[in-house]
Amino acid sequence: MEKSLSEYISMSKNLKITNNDKNIKIAILSSFTLTGLDECLKVKCVESSITYKSYIAPYNQYNQEFFNQSSDFYKFEPDITFLIIDIRSFFGENFYFPYNISSDERKSFVKNKISELENLIQQFNNNLNSKLVITNFNIPSYSPNGIIETKNEFSFHEMIEEINNALRNISKQNNSVYVYDFNNFISKFGEKNIFDYRQFYVGDIQIAFNFIPYLANDLMGYIKPFSSKNKKCIVLDLDNTLWGGIVGEDGYDGIELGHTSNGKAFVDFQKHLLSLWHQGIILTINSKNNYDDAMKVIQEHPNMILREKNFASIQINWNDKAQNLNQIASEINIGTNSMVFFDDDKINQERIKQEFPEVLTIELPKDSSQYSSILKEINDFNVLQRTDEDAKRGEMYAQQRERNELKQSISNIDDFLKQLNIQVKIKKSNEFLIPRISQLTLKTNQFNLTTKRYHEEEIREFTNNKNYEVGCAQVEDKFGDNGITGVYIVDKNEKNWIIDTFLLSCRIMGRGIEDAILSQILKDAKQNGVEEVRAKFIPTEKNKPSENFLSDFGFKKQENFWIYKLNNDIKSPNHLKVEIE
C-alpha cells in the first residue's frame, strides 16, 4: 500500500543525507507545480539504500535552464534529469482552439513543436554526459470536436500522438534519452483522479497530491538500475504460489492449475513470470515439498507454463527456507540483495524478512487473482539497456545447472575443464558492445580488481580514446553460449600499460578464463614494445575471490601497484581455445 504524500514529506524532514561522491544526483524540471515529488524520491531512495541529492528547477524555467550554459542546472551536473512538461502549456492556445487553424497549419505547428523538443535534447547532450528522462504528453479525453474528433484531418489527438511518436524515435536513436510514458500513467490511474481542477486553478498543480507518490514510484524505475539496485532473481514457492492447493495432499490431479477461476489465475501468473524470464530475470524454486510430487507437476502437468529448463536452481526439500535461499545464492553465485521472494505463507515471509532484510519479500494476499498485478507493479526489474546477454540469462543459468551436474560427476577439476570445450572470443569494444561492457562494470562485484563503475557514456569515451584499450570476452562451451562475461580497460603508455578495469562475471569464475584474457593483454603489450604492465587490486567487501589473482599469475607488488615485467614468460591455460576478433 502506497503511503500518502504528507507521510513522505514528514519522513523526508527527518532524513539525514550525507553529501559525498556516491550520491546519485537527480534534477527535476517541470512546466507546472510538482509539490512533494522531490521528498517522495528522497525517501524512496533511502529505502532502497540509494544516497540522493537533488536539484529542483524554478517553476516553468526548463527552457532557460537548458539553453543557459551557466545555469545552476548545468553546474549541478545531474546523473539523471527528469523533464516533465504538460500539454496545456506546451500547446498554448492551440490546446483549446486547435481547429481555429487549418490541418496544414496544425501539421506545421506540430513540426515546430517537435523541433523545440529536439533542440532541448540536443542542448542537454551538448552540455551534459548523463541521462535525460522526458515525459511524453497525455492525450486528453476532451476534444473541442466531441464525437467527430476521429473524422478530422490531423485531429487534436493526432497532433499529440505525432509528438509522442517523435519522442519515441528520438529515444531509440539516443542512448542517453528515455521517454517516461506519462500518457500511460494518466490512463492507469484515471484522468479524473489525476487532474484536479481545484488544485489546477489554485496553483497550476496538474497531478493531484494523492498521486505524486505513484509518479515517484514510477520514476524510481530509472533510478534503481542506474544505481545498480535493481533485482535479477525471483525465488518462488510452489504450493499456492505457482499452483493452487498442496500437491503432497491434493495430488497431481487435485491441484488448481487452469480450468477453474483460481487455476486460471495461477496460469496467468506463470505466464507473466515466463515473460520476465525471457527478459533475463532468473527464476528459482524454494519449496518445502516432496521432490518427486512437485517435479511431476513441473515436468508433466499440461497447464504448467514454467518447466524445469526455466529454473536456475531447484530447492525442493524439507529444509528451512532461509537455508534453501542461501543455497540458491551459492549455486547461481549471486548476492541475496538481487532477489525477490514470492511465498504465500506469512510465516515464511517473516522468516526471510528477518534473516535477509536485503531480499525484497512480497506480501502475497490469499487471493491469487492479485498475483499477476502485484508482479507487474514491481519496478525492481527495470534496466536502462537490455543486452543480448540479458535476454539469454535464464537459458544460460539452466545450462549452468548442467555444468554443475557434470562437475559433481567428475572428481578431477582438470578433466572437468577439458570436457567443457571452452572457447574464449576476445573482442574490441564497439557501439554494439558498449551497453554490455558498461553493464558488467556496474554490477560485477566478486571477480573485479578495482570495481570502478562506468556508465555507457564513459565507456564510449574510453572506446574513442586511442590511449585506452577497451575489450571484452565472449565465452562458449559444450553446454552453450555464456555471452559477454569478461571486460578489461587498459590505459596505454609507451613504456607501461596500466590495467584500469579487469572483471569477470561470477557465472564463469574458476575455469581459467581470467588467465586467458590477462595472458592476451600481456602478449599484446609485449608485441607493442611495452616493458611492463601494471595493475591494482582495490579490496571491497565483495571482491575477495579476485584478491590473489595478480600474485598467482606472477605479478609482483611494488608500492601501490602490482607489476608484471614483460621479459618474463607469459603463461596461458591449455584447456581452452582463445580467438581474437
Side-chain angles (χ1 to χ4, degrees), residues 302-548:
N303 295 325
M304 189 74 187
I305 303 299
L306 298 172
R307 297 296 187 184
E308 187 174 358
K309 69 176 184 179
N310 301 123
F311 298 105
S313 177
I314 297 175
Q315 301 299 318
I316 302 174
N317 49 49
W318 295 103
N319 297 338
D320 173 47
K321 291 224 169 182
Q323 179 184 337
N324 274 349
L325 194 138
N326 256 330
Q327 179 60 32
I328 291 169
S330 174
E331 184 176 328
I332 62 179
N333 208 356
I334 65 169
T336 50
N337 60 343
S338 298
M339 294 179 167
V340 179
F341 181 68
F342 277 86
D343 193 310
D344 68 294
D345 189 285
K346 300 294 182 186
I347 295 175
N348 289 331
Q349 292 171 21
E350 195 59 33
R351 174 79 177 106
I352 298 302
K353 280 182 184 178
Q354 290 182 2
E355 190 72 19
F356 302 100
E358 72 278 11
V359 172
L360 176 58
T361 299
I362 305 301
E363 296 184 7
L364 287 179
K366 293 292 184 183
D367 183 2
S368 61
S369 68
Q370 297 181 43
Y371 287 8
S372 290
S373 60
I374 290 171
L375 180 64
K376 288 186 287 185
E377 286 297 314
I378 298 172
N379 67 358
D380 294 81
F381 302 127
N382 290 302
V383 292
L384 293 176
Q385 183 76 267
R386 182 162 282 114
T387 65
D388 287 345
E389 283 73 17
D390 289 328
K392 297 174 184 174
R393 186 181 289 123
E395 184 180 345
M396 289 175 180
Y397 273 96
Q399 293 165 356
Q400 182 68 6
R401 271 200 301 115
E402 296 180 38
R403 291 185 191 95
N404 290 336
E405 289 168 5
L406 174 64
K407 187 175 182 179
Q408 290 170 9
S409 69
I410 299 174
S411 58
N412 187 292
I413 186 64
D414 292 332
D415 290 342
F416 165 69
L417 292 174
K418 287 176 183 176
Q419 288 192 33
L420 283 178
N421 300 329
I422 300 170
Q423 291 186 332
V424 181
K425 296 179 181 178
I426 295 178
K427 305 167 181 276
K428 287 189 176 182
S429 174
N430 56 40
E431 196 61 34
F432 175 74
L433 294 170
I434 284 171
R436 176 58 177 170
I437 291 171
S438 169
Q439 185 182 61
L440 283 169
T441 70
L442 291 171
K443 71 178 186 178
T444 305
N445 293 306
Q446 295 184 63
F447 200 98
N448 192 333
L449 292 182
T450 58
T451 57
K452 292 182 179 180
R453 309 302 190 186
Y454 294 120
H455 290 279
E456 285 180 43
E457 294 80 9
E458 295 167 303
I459 296 296
R460 190 169 287 106
E461 286 182 2
F462 283 134
T463 301
N464 295 329
N465 187 334
K466 65 179 182 179
N467 295 321
Y468 283 86
E469 180 81 24
V470 183
C472 59
Q474 179 180 352
V475 180
E476 298 178 5
D477 60 31
K478 65 184 288 184
F479 292 106
D481 185 355
N482 289 277
I484 303 296
T485 43
V487 165
Y488 61 87
I489 301 173
V490 179
D491 182 356
K492 299 189 295 184
N493 295 297
E494 290 184 7
K495 292 187 177 181
N496 60 72
W497 287 6
I498 299 173
I499 298 175
D500 173 273
T501 296
F502 189 96
L503 61 86
L504 200 71
S505 170
C506 57
R507 286 191 287 114
I508 58 168
M509 284 166 49
R511 302 181 204 169
I513 294 158
E514 57 273 31
D515 293 328
I517 299 170
L518 183 55
S519 174
Q520 193 56 47
I521 294 172
L522 297 177
K523 289 176 182 177
D524 191 20
K526 193 170 187 176
Q527 288 174 2
N528 281 273
V530 175
E531 295 177 0
E532 64 183 34
V533 173
R534 299 184 174 196
K536 279 187 176 182
F537 172 71
I538 302 173
T540 69
E541 291 181 2
K542 297 182 179 180
N543 69 351
K544 186 81 172 170
S546 54
E547 181 179 19
N548 299 318

Side-chain angles (χ1 to χ4, degrees), residues 17-178:
I17 297 176
T18 304
N19 290 328
N20 56 53
D21 57 1
K22 293 184 179 180
N23 286 123
I24 182 171
K25 295 197 286 186
I26 304 296
I28 301 172
L29 295 89
S30 175
S31 63
F32 57 94
T33 304
L34 270 174
T35 301
L37 180 60
D38 179 41
E39 288 85 350
C40 289
L41 288 175
K42 203 168 287 184
V43 173
K44 287 178 179 290
C45 279
V46 169
E47 290 175 344
S48 298
S49 301
I50 299 170
T51 54
Y52 175 93
K53 188 177 182 180
S54 61
Y55 172 76
I56 311 302
Y59 169 77
N60 198 23
Q61 295 292 301
Y62 63 91
N63 270 307
Q64 293 88 328
E65 296 273 18
F66 270 55
F67 285 100
N68 178 6
Q69 294 184 15
S70 301
S71 68
D72 291 338
F73 165 62
Y74 287 131
K75 290 175 183 176
F76 178 69
E77 295 183 329
D79 296 308
I80 302 177
T81 297
F82 293 114
L83 178 58
I84 305 169
I85 308 173
D86 72 285
I87 192 62
R88 283 173 174 78
S89 64
F90 195 61
F91 266 29
E93 289 297 295
N94 284 326
F95 178 83
Y96 296 97
F97 313 114
Y99 296 114
N100 286 3
I101 57 176
S102 68
S103 61
D104 286 340
E105 288 173 315
R106 289 195 292 274
K107 289 177 182 178
S108 178
F109 171 78
V110 165
K111 185 178 179 180
N112 289 334
K113 285 296 176 183
I114 291 171
S115 293
E116 279 184 32
L117 293 171
E118 289 174 337
N119 290 336
L120 270 175
I121 292 167
Q122 186 60 52
Q123 199 66 27
F124 176 90
N125 286 334
N126 289 343
N127 289 283
L128 286 174
N129 191 14
S130 61
K131 307 293 185 188
L132 172 65
V133 180
I134 183 171
T135 56
N136 67 7
F137 297 95
N138 66 293
I139 301 172
S141 56
Y142 147 88
S143 166
N145 264 6
I147 62 172
I148 59 170
E149 162 69 13
T150 57
K151 292 185 174 292
N152 287 281
E153 175 69 23
F154 202 61
S155 67
F156 173 55
H157 288 173
E158 285 178 303
M159 293 168 71
I160 304 172
E161 288 169 353
E162 183 84 3
I163 296 173
N164 285 347
N165 286 333
L167 280 173
R168 190 179 297 116
N169 289 330
I170 292 169
S171 174
K172 289 176 183 177
Q173 296 163 13
N174 194 317
N175 290 323
S176 64
V177 177
Y178 299 82

Side-chain angles (χ1 to χ4, degrees), residues 257 266-268 270-271 274 301-307 310:
L257 192 58
F266 289 108
V267 168
D268 191 54
Q270 287 196 35
K271 285 180 178 179
L274 183 59
H301 199 289
N303 295 325
M304 189 74 187
I305 303 299
L306 298 172
R307 297 296 187 184
N310 301 123

